[in-house]
Each structure stands twice: as C-alpha cells, then as structure tokens.
Amino acid sequence: MDSQRAPGSDSNRHQALRAGVGAQQPWWRRTTVRFEVLIASVVVLAMLLLTALMAYQLSASARQAITTASSESAQRISQIISERVHRIVDPADATLRLLAFDPVTTAPNLAARLRRLPVLTRLLNQNQLLSAVYVGYPDGQFLLVRPLRHADLREKLGAPQNAAFLLQSRAQEQGGAPLEGRWSFYDAQLQLLATSIRPEYSYDPRTRPWYAEARQTSAQILTAPYVFFTTQELGVTLSQPSEEGRAVLGLDVALTDLGREIGQLRLMPRTEIAVVDKDFRLLAYPDMSRVLQLDGEVTHTRPLSELGVPSLMALQPLHVRNGESRRFEAQGEEWLGQVQPLPSMRWNDLQLLMSIPTAELLKDLNRDLRRQVWIALGLLAALLPLGWIAGRRVGRSISGLTAQAHALARFDFRRPPRPDSQVREVRELGLVMDRMSDTIQDFLHISHHISAESRLDVMLSSVLYQLVQATSCRSGAVYLVDAKHANLVRTARHCEDPQDQPRYPDQLGMAHFINYADRQVEDEEAALDEPETPAQQVLRAQLHTRGGQPLGLLVLRFVQDQRRDGGNFRAFVEKLSGTLSVAIETRNLIEGQRKLFDAVILVLAHTIDAKSPYTGGHCERVPQLAEALMQRICDTREGPFAEVSMTDAEMYEFRLGAWLHDVGKVTSPEHIIDKATKLETIYNRIHEVRMRFEVLWRDAELDYWQQREDGGDPARLQTELVRKRAQLQEDFAFVARSNVGGEAMADSDVQRLQAIGQTQWQRHFDDRIGLSQAERERLAGAPPRNLPATECLLADRPEHVVPWGGQRPPVEVCNPANQWGFDMVLPPQEIHLGELHNLSVRRGTLTAEDRFKINDHIVQTIIMLNSLPFPPHLARVPAIAGSHHEKLDGTGYPRRLKGDELTLADRVMTLADIFEALTASDRPYKLPKTLSESLAIMAGMVRNQHIDSQVFRVFLHGGVWRDYAEQFLPLAQHDAVDLDAIERLADLKPTPALALQD
C-alpha cells in the first residue's frame, strides 16, 4: 500500500527517471555546470560587455551631443537671419504706412507731385536699403524716385556725374494730352540737372502684380524676392493702397546684406550656408555673385542645383525635413546636413540649408575617445579578479533555496510560519506565496474593469495596470489598430520604472502584429540601453475579433531571472487577451454606432444648411452657441444656477437636441425660406407685372397714334400720352417698392394697390396651354374666357389659391390626429399666390400661408424625432430640439408652452436661436444687426417675457456673446456694448459679476 511505502522511495524513483532520460541525451546535453561557476562567468562577461557598451555609449552620446549642438546652432542662425530679414523689411513697412497718408497719392498732376519730391528723397536717404519709391495712379500715371548711390548705376542710366536722384514719370503734362514718359535727374540739393521725354517709356503700373494685388486685397502686400531690372540687386517689393484707396505706393527693398550676414555665421571654416525658398531657388549665399545668373539680357536667381557647391546641392534630393539632421556623402566626404525653417510673418516656406564636414566636427571627439578607451581597458584588467570572486559568492547563496523549490513542485502552497531569512533570495521566495492572494485579487479586479468600465482607454489602462502588478512584470502596453489598418497606435502604457517608457513608441508597424512571436529590433535595442539592469523578455499577444480581424497587440516585459514557464505564461496571457479582445470589440461596436449616429445627425444639419445659400451655417452655429451657454450656466457658482450641473450623458443629449433643432426644415420649401420679395415663388413675379406695364405703355402709344390718325389735336394728345407714361412709371415704381417689403404698409398703400390692380389690359393668348398638371387642376373650376380677354393689372385669381385637401397638418387643438399637443392657427388655404394678397403684406415679405410653412418646420421636427426610437438616455432629444420657438408668456409655437412648462434646455435653445438669427449676415430679407443692436432687441424680448431673464443675464455677463462674435461675426458688427444700458432695457436688477468655475 502507498501508506507503507519506504521513505525516500519517491526521490529514488525521480532520480532513476532522470538518469534514464539523461542516458538518452547527447553528451553535451548531459554536461552541467555548477551554478556559482556560471554566475561568476556571467559577472565577468557582463563586465566585459559593460565596458564595451560604455565605450559605445560614450561615443554615441558625444556624437549625439555634437550633432544636437550643431542643430541648436543652426536654429540660432535661422533666428538671426530671420531677425535680419525683419530689420530689412520692417523699416520699409513703416515708411510705406506713413506714405499712405502723403499728399503725393492725391496730387492731380506732375507739378503737384514734384512738390513732394523732398519728402520722397529724404525717406530714401534715411533708409539705405531702399532702391526706389514709387506711386501708381488708377488712370495709368506713374511716379518713381530712385537714388543714384553708385557711379556705375549713374553711368548705366546715362545720368550726369553729380546726379543723386532719378525721377521717372508718366503723366498728362498738358490737358487732354496722352500720357508722356519723362526722366529727370536731380543733384543732392534737388536741383534739376537734366530732363527729357522718353516716348519708349510706356510703363503702366496697373498691369503690375504689386499694383493689382494691393488694390484687390486693399492691404499691404510683399512680393517674392526677385532681381531688380535697373540695379541688378536681389530684393523684394512692398506695396500698399493709399489711405483714400485710389493710388498704390511701392518700395523696392534690397537684400544684398543678407549674404554677407550668412558668411559671418559659419560654425567651421568649411561650413556651407544658403537660404532658399520652397522651390529651392537661392535667396542668399556668402558669395552673392553666385546667386545671380545672367540669361541673355535677363538676370535671375540660380536654383540650388546650379550653385556649384556639392555639399549643399546634395541636400536637395535627400528631402530633409525642417529641423532634421542627416549625414550624407558628397565628393567622397561625409557631411552633416541641417535644414531649418526661417520663421517670418511675410515670407512663407523659407529654409536655411547648412552642411558641415563631419571630419572637422568630430576631430576633437575621436582623440578624446581613444584616450577613454585605453583608460577603460586598464580599469577592466584590474577589476576582473574582483568580479570573479563576487560572482562565486553570489552563486553559492542560491543553493539554500533548493529544498523549498521541491515543496513548490509538489503543489504545496501553504504558508507555514517561518522566520525571516537574512538571505535576500530566500526572503523574496517566501514573499512569493504571500503575493498569491494578492494576485487572485488582481485578477478579480481585471475582470471587474473589463465588464464595468465603458470608456475604452480607461478600461485598457486599468486592466494593464492590474495585469502588470499581478504578473510582476516590469512594464506593459496595449496597442490598437488605427482606422486605416496601417499602424498600431499605443492606447495604454504602464511602467514600474519611468525609464522604460521610451521602449513603447507611440506607433508600431503592422509587422509587429503579424510577427508577434518573433524577436523585434527594438527588443535588442532595449537590451543595450541599460546593460546594468537584468535582461528582460518581451511577450506579445494578438488581440483580434471573433471574426479574426486584427484589433491590436498586448505587450508585456518581465525580468528574465524570474524563471517563468514561458509556455504556461504565454498561454495565460493569450487567454486573457481573448477576453480583452471581446471587451475591445464590444466597445468598438458601441463607439462605432455612436459615431455613425453623430455623423448622420451632422449630415442632416449640413444638408439643411446646404439647402439655402442664405441660411447656410445656421444649424452649425446655433448648437455651438447653445452648448457654450449651457456650459457657462453649469460653471456658474452663484445665483439661481449655482446648483445646476450636467453629466457627460446629459450634455451629449443636449448637444444632439441642439444639432437637430431644425431637422424639420428638410420639408420647408426653399423659395419660402429664401423669400426676399413678396411676389417671389420659384422666381420673382415682379417681372410679369413689369411686362403688363410694358403692354399698357405700348397701348398708350398705339392709342396716341390712332387718335392722331383720326385727326385729333396733336398737342392735347401728346400731353395726354406724357401724363399716361408718367402715371405708369409712378404706379410701377410703387408696386416695385411694395414688392421689396422694406417698410410697413399703411392702409392708404393697400388701397392704392387695389386701385392700381383694377387697371385693365387685353390678353390675346390662351392662358390654358403649356401648363403643368397641377396648374390645369387649379383652373378646372373656372370657365375659359373668350379672346381677347380683359385682365386686371394685379389680381387674386382662383388658380392662385391651393386648398389644403387631404394634406391638412394636425396642428389644431381640435384635430384628433394631433397627438403631440400642438396649438397653432391654420391658414384657410395651403398656398395663396394672389398678387394683391402678397403685395398687401403689411410687414416683411411673408403671407400668413408662407409664415405657417416656415413655422411648420418645428412641427415636422417634433413629428420626425418622436418617430425615432431614441434610447432612454436620449429620450429628451425631441423635446430639446422642438421647443426653441416657445415663449415664456405662452405666445410661442407650436405648443404655446408657458414659463413653468419650459425647461432650462428649452430656454437656452430659444436664446441661442434668437441671437444667431439677429446677428446672421446671410439672410436675404434683413440686414445683420450689430452686437449692441442685437442685445438691445433681446433685452426688449426679456422685458416682454419672450426670453428667460436669468439665462439672458448669464449670456450677457458670462461673455458668451463676445466669444461667439469673435468666432463667427465680421468686424463690422462688433461695436461697443454698454452692459448696464442693456440691463436697464431688460429691467434687470444690477448684480455683481457672475462667479464662474475655472
């Protein structure tokens, strides 16, 4: 029996088993090494490796330091050159702004302009970088003053020897004469030395880019660098319209000093530096003569590829990014290339190119490195015996752990009482058992976070933390596949040692997912980064959906000497990764559904905005304004809203309601929403009315000539014709003014329209042919009339009226189909296109039928949204979207809700919709209001119980209107706002400033 088995029989059996298995193995597998010898050998080898790594690290660090220093120097050089560019251009900028107010811009003739010559020459003398100052006039006249600072320039221009200035002009020197070109030379005291008319000088400034662009933008412009035709200098032109806006002033600014500045900034004697634009055309080089190239009789700047400097020319095809350093070969020599941007408010895409020979850069480093290597080898020779002794002593201390390891092999996991050992390894082994209960608790926490946390990034961070703690790993990370399935993006990371964080880059290639079980390059680099720390193993587990689609990668790093069973540990991590994959997939599906839902809502909002060119952006601006106001109310810590707060879910529900507040406008006819005149339908019917007046005009002429033929008095007939014409012009002008709807219609105006409408004209063509089916149906009840038929000039004909029929909206209280509580007045008919009916609208352009069609959009919004199966946490979306036209006094629509029936969300939406409508500049039927006008109107609405006073107070003092104006309103609508006056208009009692949470 087992209970009578002799002691030690188990151990004997295990030894016999091991002997039998060992006999079957090759001799090199049966050979063993004592542990202390192995440890001592490892210590010695580690010291050797450490020495080699230290030498390598020293060399790499020094090289990196020098490279970094050169990069910083290149950045300082780029800043210096940028400042030099500012010193070149800014004085010219200030000069040009002063000249914009000079009388020379409004001088009517050449004589008046010459009186400003002392001012122009003084500006040229004060700024030696200015090559010329000139003015172009809208009629093609031109005035240019050029300093003659060099003898070769005077010789080239044929100037007298003592000439200091050249004045070139094109002007009308005699009244009515064509423009004449003239060159005049002056000395330093502005005494005229010579003048001559140059017929070939036909320069027209209006055809030049500096003139056209300045006039078009109404602002100062700066041209790209180019070679001046006269002086053959490299420079730029600044131009700006004059203050009154008719003339354009220009200044030529030379950049000749920029090359000399570069030559003084070399780091090494053989350093090459150049400034190029985005097309790699040279702008500056120490030898500026190599920058300019003569092509026939035209001089232009060379491209970098033709500079003749191999080290700089080799940089161009490398496509080095801004701020990057790169080594490259040029003519058999290694160079370090630098590319730095030149920040400038005026010029874009300027770059500084710099190349340094690495032999000069690293000359001192190589000498110091050889000295450090010899010192390290000497220290290594002295420390090797000490390392061997220390290694043997460390190895012997492991032997005492063998007995306890056998107990663990027999699955005996009890925690017997034991004294603390002075040997660290024994003490740590005893602590392992104590951590088992903690590990089980950690696994429970992992399960809890996977099932309870809805936010994916928080869930992954929590699970990763618990997993690293439970498995005693050094660090870990979770990577998820990006939307394009091109990379793995790090979503969570936890490192016990912050120095391990660089081992987890922000992105990994998909090769890491495919070859997850293979050792990667960064694993080798990680082993070399800190050779003094224990070696680490990297375990990767794929995360994929149940359908096999890749989701991401779980990466764990653990210390190698913890003796984990790689197969068991990998199996455990892969099983856990399966659970994690299901959680990620579920959350991705939920998040995808939410993104799809949000995208559909945005598509609806943008579709509504896109329907009309006049209200585009309304459905986007109102939600942003409403959400900003609601957030400001939640941040308030005083007053009636001190206790108001919203969760993320509630704010999301409010945001959806705001975006969907006008979704019903998809059913609103565009010609009514955009109705700019009273007679407008799909087109403006004033043209039909005008043609009838044209018919009456010609009838009057025909009647005149008919009576002349019958022998009537010509004088009397002419007087009568003139009177009829004047009356027709006056009547049509009145009808046209009434059609615009800019002013309120008085009773007398309506009566005059009725009288004008009774004017008759003859129709000779059948009005029942060429019609649509709907038009024929509307004419079915009216009998046809014999031709020619007498028609009224303006009329409300039966075919103008479209009855409701079977499409009667359920908005009346008494309608049984009204299940939403609507309370609106329904017009007698659906459409009334009568001309007198539309022209008699008292205010604005909309009839009662048009107004109902527009107001019906909120009815359709409520019906449409209530038909959608919103989940419980979004149940209030239809109510939020459908109540922004209600008023506190119960006169709003569509339900006539009163103050106590309106929620805070309803009141916020109402205010946001009103403020956006008042300040909108894209409405065809009104002008945009300024800030003060809009707030004053809203103050009146507060006083009349249309807007909530407390919400308006937060809107006013919280600065929401100011933030909205800065983002959406043009500067023309920004005016001074007196908040105290606005409060008095609204009958608000003055209160201290609102306390807002940071």
Side-chain angles (χ1 to χ4, degrees), residues 790-944:
T790 300
E791 299 280 1
C792 290
L793 187 62
L794 300 172
D796 295 338
R797 294 190 291 274
E799 61 267 24
H800 286 155
V801 179
V802 179
W804 285 111
Q807 302 295 327
R808 191 177 187 88
V811 298
E812 298 167 298
V813 176
C814 59
N815 193 329
N818 183 4
Q819 55 180 311
W820 301 277
F822 300 137
D823 186 3
M824 299 177 66
V825 177
L826 195 65
Q829 54 276 329
E830 180 180 4
I831 300 174
H832 196 319
L833 302 178
E835 295 162 346
L836 287 172
H837 179 74
N838 279 265
L839 287 171
S840 300
V841 172
R842 298 286 182 160
R843 185 178 298 275
T845 63
L846 300 178
T847 64
E849 294 78 14
D850 296 335
R851 180 65 62 186
F852 178 81
K853 276 293 184 183
I854 290 180
N855 292 348
D856 185 57
H857 82 275
I858 199 66
V859 173
Q860 300 303 322
T861 296
I862 294 174
I863 294 176
M864 291 166 62
L865 294 182
N866 275 286
S867 66
L868 298 177
F870 284 103
H873 66 284
L874 300 177
R876 294 189 63 255
V877 167
I880 295 172
S883 301
H884 60 279
H885 287 296
E886 303 288 354
K887 300 176 182 178
L888 295 178
D889 60 357
T891 61
Y893 66 92
R895 296 190 179 103
R896 297 183 183 271
L897 301 178
K898 295 186 178 181
D900 55 350
E901 299 174 295
L902 296 174
T903 66
L904 176 60
D906 301 335
R907 302 171 191 229
V908 169
M909 284 297 303
T910 300
L911 188 147
D913 191 74
I914 292 173
F915 184 75
E916 193 282 335
L918 289 172
T919 57
S921 59
D922 51 11
R923 303 298 194 270
Y925 43 80
K926 74 173 188 68
L927 294 175
K929 304 292 184 184
T930 63
L931 287 173
S932 60
E933 291 172 341
S934 302
L935 293 175
I937 293 173
M938 295 175 70
M941 300 177 76
V942 171
R943 189 173 59 252
N944 295 330

Side-chain angles (χ1 to χ4, degrees), residues 329-381:
E329 294 286 337
Q331 289 189 333
E333 186 177 5
E334 186 183 63
W335 295 75
L336 177 65
Q338 298 274 351
V339 178
Q340 293 292 339
L342 289 179
S344 173
M345 294 183 294
R346 295 180 174 274
W347 294 330
N348 295 324
D349 301 324
L350 296 188
Q351 293 178 319
L352 173 72
L353 306 182
M354 185 172 68
S355 60
I356 309 171
T358 56
E360 291 185 10
L361 193 65
L362 303 176
K363 179 173 61 177
D364 295 335
L365 170 65
N366 293 331
R367 183 178 61 252
D368 294 339
L369 182 61
R370 286 192 296 270
R371 183 171 61 252
Q372 294 296 332
V373 169
W374 284 112
I375 294 175
L377 290 176
L379 291 175
L380 179 62

Side-chain angles (χ1 to χ4, degrees), residues 226-229 232 292-301:
Y226 65 99
V227 179
F228 296 153
F229 177 79
Q232 297 300 300
L292 304 180
Q293 180 179 11
L294 182 62
D295 187 4
E297 296 182 357
V298 179
T299 302
H300 56 82
T301 58

